[in-house]
């Protein structure tokens, strides 16, 4: 790292970025909107969230020469990178953002033109489309110096990142997590993962030329744990009736816990959001005007259809109050322990929902259904995410048998807006709404 780029980055962080955010805010001033008949006024914290995201991508443009850049999978133990000073970006989050802005299909098409199958995960195709063309709605992404992946969410990330490593000529570090067929902890699997982490630290010391700071690492674990606990409390506010936000809000507000985990900015943001939500819950302010039924969502969001779905469900008085996806970043929090950082990190990251057997997932959903007083379940069978979609019809049947919970399966994709059948989906949902109303 050289002095001038470091000075430039510091200047942009302290002066340039705040000025750019103020300028953007001035340019976007619009007349006040009339009250929405379906929803409560938007959360004030959302403005801070947009600033946080914009600032993160804006500053990434000034990292070259100032600090190393790592591209990381959502399930990788990013805490281990923090003491080495990496600026981290998440291609999955970038792909979700492209999906939400409805440019995912176009970027997937770029990858498909170069021989990648349309059956491949759309997050991967969007990212490969970006690597091939440089196109992105955030302006520009910095070239990575390192790739860091874990196969605890799927095997696709490994082959996807291998392609990126070859294209950019950079190292790829993999944290391999054995699949958990049982709930038992410890044993050879844990030893294997802790051994990997020790080897990863040595590898990072060699790549970065920096010694690993174990005290800084423990502080990062502590910060990540507190942030995840705050995220869990944010989600728990939806146990209130009416719920002060819905899962459509939570899908947007989960970005800091995924992308900025282990950083002060994420902890500060969730303190702000939690305060506002608890205040709303205390005053009885619901996210939707009329909450008649409470629902659970299973799987990743359909990012290109977020707004349409939020309006559709709210118009029927249906509020999503919990989701297996948003819960994933709060579920394993108690396992983090700054006193045993490597062991606890290995446990926390190997116990994520997609690396666990189906009965574990079923018990988790049963618990969420009871705690959040759920009336019905919407299952997104995602064309892209096969590990998440496997077993969903068995889950649907078993939850009906055990808890009498009605459900509906809708088939779509997480970020490729081309894989969506409007009429078929609406027909299934209308039938589901009628069945719920008759109960």
């Amino acid at each position: 790292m050289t002095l001038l780029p470091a000075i430039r980055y510091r200047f942009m962080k302290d002066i340039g970025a705040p000025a750019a955010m103020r300028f953007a805010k001035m340019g976007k001033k619009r007349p006040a909107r009339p009250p929405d008949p379906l929803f409560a006024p938007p959360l004030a914290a959302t403005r801070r969230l947009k600033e946080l995201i914009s600032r993160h991508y804006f500053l990434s443009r000034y990292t070259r020469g100032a600090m190393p850049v790592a591209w990381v999978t959502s399930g990788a133990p990013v805490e281990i990178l923090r003491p080495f000073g990496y600026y981290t970006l998440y291609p999955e989050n970038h792909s979700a953002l492209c999906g939400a802005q409805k440019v995912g299909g176009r970027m997937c098409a770029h990858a498909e033109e170069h021989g990648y199958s349309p059956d491949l995960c759309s997050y991967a195709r969007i990212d490969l489309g970006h690597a091939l063309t440089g196109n992105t709605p955030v302006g520009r992404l910095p070239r990575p110096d390192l790739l860091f992946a874990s196969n605890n969410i799927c095997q696709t990330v490994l082959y996807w990142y291998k392609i990126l490593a070859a294209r950019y000529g950079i190292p790829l570090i993999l944290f391999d997590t054995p699949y958990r067929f049982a709930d038992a902890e410890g044993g050879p699997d844990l030893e294997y993962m802790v051994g990997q982490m020790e080897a990863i630290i040595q590898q990072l010391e060699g790549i970065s030329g920096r010694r690993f700071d174990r005290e800084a690492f423990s502080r990062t674990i502590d910060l990540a744990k507190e942030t995840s606990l705050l995220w869990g409390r944010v989600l728990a506010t939806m146990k209130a009736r009416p719920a002060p936000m819905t899962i459509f809000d939570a899908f947007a507000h989960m970005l800091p816990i995924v992308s900025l985990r282990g950083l002060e900015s994420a902890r500060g943001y969730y303190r702000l959001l939690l305060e506002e939500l608890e205040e709303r819950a205390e005053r009885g302010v619901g996210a939707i005007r009329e909450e008649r039924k409470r629902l659970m969502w299973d799987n990743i969001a359909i990012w290109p259809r977020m707004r349409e779905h939020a309006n559709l469900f709210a118009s029927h008085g249906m509020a999503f109050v919990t989701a297996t996806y948003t819960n994933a970043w709060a579920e394993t929090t108690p396992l983090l322990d700054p006193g045993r950082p490597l062991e606890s990190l290995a446990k926390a990251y190997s116990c994520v929902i997609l690396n666990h057997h189906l009965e574990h997932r079923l018990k988790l959903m049963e618990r969420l259904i009871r705690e959040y007083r759920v009336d019905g379940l919407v299952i997104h069978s995602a064309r892209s995410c096969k590990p998440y979609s496997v077993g969903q019809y068995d889950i649907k049947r078993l939850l009906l048998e055990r808890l009498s919970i009605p459900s509906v399966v809708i088939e779509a994709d997480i970020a490729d807006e081309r894989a969506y059948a409007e009429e078929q989906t609406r027909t299934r949902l209308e039938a589901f709404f009628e069945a719920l109303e008759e109960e």
Side-chain angles (χ1 to χ4, degrees):
M1 300 303 111
T2 53
L3 183 59
L4 281 179
I7 292 173
R8 183 183 63 167
Y9 176 82
R10 175 58 63 180
F11 174 82
M12 295 310 297
K13 182 182 177 186
D14 295 340
I15 299 174
M21 298 303 111
R22 283 197 299 273
F23 182 76
K25 200 182 295 182
M26 287 169 59
K28 288 181 179 175
K29 277 190 176 176
R30 296 171 183 164
R33 294 178 180 175
D36 192 310
L38 295 177
F39 300 98
L43 290 164
T46 303
R47 287 197 297 274
R48 175 64 186 139
L49 176 69
K50 289 178 180 175
E51 289 174 4
L52 204 61
I53 298 169
S54 301
R55 185 174 183 274
H56 185 59
Y57 280 111
F58 177 81
L59 282 178
S60 74
R61 301 175 194 174
Y62 300 94
T63 51
R64 178 143 299 278
M67 62 182 62
V69 173
W71 286 9
V72 187
T73 62
S74 62
V78 68
E79 293 85 352
I80 211 164
L81 293 182
R82 301 291 184 211
F84 291 100
Y86 279 94
Y87 197 98
T88 53
L89 286 172
Y90 286 73
E92 291 156 74
N93 272 10
H94 175 252
S95 295
L97 191 151
C98 292
Q101 298 198 11
K102 300 188 178 179
V103 298
R106 191 169 72 235
M107 296 181 72
C108 285
H110 290 312
E112 292 160 16
E113 287 166 5
H114 285 76
Y116 294 102
S117 169
D119 291 325
L120 184 65
C121 165
S122 57
Y123 280 0
R125 278 180 289 141
I126 289 171
D127 189 51
L128 294 169
H130 161 262
L132 290 163
T133 63
N135 291 343
T136 166
V138 301
R140 177 164 51 88
L141 293 181
R143 180 189 173 92
D145 300 296
L146 175 76
L147 298 164
F148 187 34
S150 176
N151 55 0
N152 56 359
I153 51 173
C154 68
Q155 295 297 320
T156 300
V157 294
L158 174 57
Y159 299 100
W160 163 12
Y161 274 46
K162 279 184 175 179
I163 294 168
L164 294 177
R167 180 172 182 82
Y168 293 117
I170 57 174
L172 163 61
I173 295 178
L174 171 70
F175 176 56
D176 177 38
T177 54
Y179 189 79
R180 293 176 65 94
F181 292 96
D183 290 327
E185 291 185 356
D189 286 353
L190 184 60
E191 291 174 13
Y192 167 65
M193 290 186 287
V194 171
Q196 279 187 78
M197 289 196 170
E198 289 169 346
I200 287 171
I201 288 170
Q202 290 181 10
Q203 201 174 353
L204 287 168
E205 286 181 328
I207 293 170
S208 67
R210 293 175 61 165
R211 292 293 301 272
F212 184 58
D213 185 337
R214 292 188 181 274
E215 288 187 9
F217 181 47
S218 291
R219 288 196 299 274
T220 301
I221 296 284
D222 196 30
L223 186 55
K225 179 172 184 172
E226 186 181 344
T227 307
S228 293
L229 288 169
L230 283 166
W231 173 242
R233 290 176 63 190
V234 163
L235 296 178
T237 62
M238 288 185 283
K239 291 178 183 177
R241 187 189 290 267
M245 73 171 183
T246 74
I247 283 303
F248 293 116
D249 301 307
F251 281 145
H253 289 279
M254 69 185 291
L255 189 140
I257 192 62
V258 180
S259 294
L260 305 175
R261 200 165 59 255
L263 296 177
E264 178 60 46
S265 55
R267 179 172 64 177
Y269 176 69
Y270 287 124
R271 283 175 175 167
L272 180 75
L273 177 61
L274 179 62
E275 184 180 353
E276 184 177 3
L277 289 170
E278 287 183 337
E279 190 268 337
R280 281 198 176 200
E282 192 174 321
R283 288 194 294 119
V285 177
I288 66 174
R289 299 282 184 191
E290 187 184 5
E291 179 186 303
R292 295 202 301 275
K293 297 289 181 181
R294 295 163 65 85
L295 305 178
M296 171 191 271
W297 179 275
D298 184 48
N299 213 324
I300 303 170
I302 304 172
W303 297 110
R305 297 284 174 170
M306 285 266 286
R307 172 48 58 186
E308 292 96 320
H309 283 167
N311 288 336
L312 176 63
F313 283 92
S315 69
H316 286 81
M318 309 270 176
F320 280 99
V321 294
T322 186
T324 53
Y325 184 51
T326 52
N327 184 69
W329 278 268
E331 183 187 356
T332 60
T333 301
L335 298 174
L336 288 175
D337 181 357
R340 297 179 301 142
L342 293 183
E343 185 179 321
S344 68
L345 210 57
K347 284 182 180 177
Y349 279 88
S350 64
C351 288
V352 297
I353 185 171
L354 293 185
N355 200 50
H356 239 128
H357 56 91
L358 206 58
E359 183 62 24
H360 169 87
R361 181 167 158 191
L362 195 58
K363 286 179 180 173
L364 168 70
M365 294 175 77
E366 288 179 3
R367 177 174 66 79
L368 293 176
I369 285 168
R370 290 191 180 99
E371 289 182 359
Y372 287 80
R373 294 174 287 173
V374 166
D375 301 303
L377 169 67
V378 176
I379 298 171
H380 171 207
S381 179
R383 178 178 174 177
S384 277
C385 196
K386 294 169 183 64
Y388 217 141
S389 303
V390 166
Q392 284 179 316
Y393 280 94
D394 287 327
I395 287 172
K396 173 181 165 65
R397 175 178 55 79
L398 290 167
L399 287 177
L400 181 63
E401 289 175 3
R402 295 182 186 182
L403 300 179
S404 301
I405 288 292
S407 57
V408 62
V409 177
I410 54 175
E411 296 168 356
D413 188 73
I414 53 180
D416 185 350
E417 72 274 13
R418 299 171 302 174
Y420 187 81
E422 177 82 43
E423 290 305 318
Q424 181 191 66
T425 304
R426 184 170 283 271
T427 300
R428 286 188 183 185
L429 289 177
E430 293 290 354
F432 177 63
F433 295 151
E434 286 181 19
L436 272 182
E437 293 289 2
E438 289 171 1
E439 287 196 343

